[in-house]
Amino acid sequence: MAPTLDVAFAHRYPDGTEIRVEEVRLPAEPGRVTVLFGESGSGKSTFLRILAGLLRPAAGRVVFDRQPWLDTGRRLFLPPQQRRIGFVFQDYALFPHLTVFRNIACGLADLPRATREARVREAMDWLGLNGLADRMPSRLSGGQQQRVALARALVRQPELLLLDEPLSALDVQLRDRLRAELHALLVKTGIPAIVVTHDPCEALALADELVLLHRGRLLQSGPPTHVFNHPSSPEAAQMLGVETALDAVVESREGVLVRIVAAGVALTAVSPAPLAPGTHATACIRAEDVLLAAPGKPTGSARNHLPARVIRLSEAGGLMRLELDCGFPLRATLTRPSCEEMNLQPGSLIQAVIKAPKIHLIPRS
């Protein structure tokens, strides 16, 4: 039986804010990275601190690989040092007055000196920190500080790694570069890891398993690309940044092809779910899945060709974001050169093209 982490808790802060997580089961296989993704206040950081034993909830249960760490019903609470957890804090929490070597070694005071030094040297070599043993944290780059914090967590040989927003303290360019590096390091450790983030790019880059938390409730979990492309609820779609979400009604279906009507506009989608005519649904369309072409221009086999008017253009991270009126509001993205080549500006008439499999339907009760 594969190891799992089972968690449920209710915690109230002094200001009256309550974070409540209902029963969650997370995979905990060696080297597997699980990302907790959600907005501020969803319970992500509280979740980590309760796992680590840094917070004691009013009610709750934590079981790691069939070993109970917390059970308020039985008055069981293992302190942090007995949970064999490595914790990398959001700001790395390095001691500013200690060298790199002493920062990494600070959790090993109970070991003989020779063993302690061997473990620290091994961790530094493994994480590419050789030559930095005597350097103070203030003289390290953001990426080096991150690796020191990870080394400090790993030298204790934990059974579980917890990382709270591990890239948020870095500037944007460094954050982009270190995403792939961090995932490779986490897999290389062979230790199950749980990472908290509110950044969708970070979630996609780091996760083997993605868990959506919303107001202390698990909305959805699974492989990250599946979760991003197939949100299970309107709340999940909103969390995942789906740019267009339409109220729609199923008009007819033929096999997996479903004809829907949204704001009076007929669209064809693909859905393996048995959606009967009359079913109300949310139709989700990502901006990057909207193709743009000149009005009336042939555009291949796509089933949805919508006359559209450009309402607004704005720049977003090297791309142009377009707001279109197709009888309903629709968002699309386009490169700046393509936008200039098509001479797009507010009021321009254009054709929006959407392939049927790119329209994801969420049935509504």
Side-chain angles (χ1 to χ4, degrees), residues 102-156:
R102 292 179 64 194
N103 259 286
I104 298 172
C106 68
L108 303 177
D110 56 329
L111 296 180
R113 180 175 178 176
T115 304
R116 182 168 66 246
E117 291 188 355
R119 277 207 200 170
V120 173
R121 296 291 180 192
E122 181 182 16
M124 291 183 63
D125 180 61
W126 190 75
L127 285 166
L129 294 169
N130 287 329
L132 301 178
D134 296 325
R135 190 167 295 185
M136 306 302 286
S138 61
R139 295 182 56 218
L140 300 176
S141 69
Q144 289 169 336
Q145 289 183 36
Q146 182 196 73
R147 291 200 295 274
V148 172
L150 188 55
R152 184 174 62 185
L154 290 174
V155 290
R156 299 183 64 245

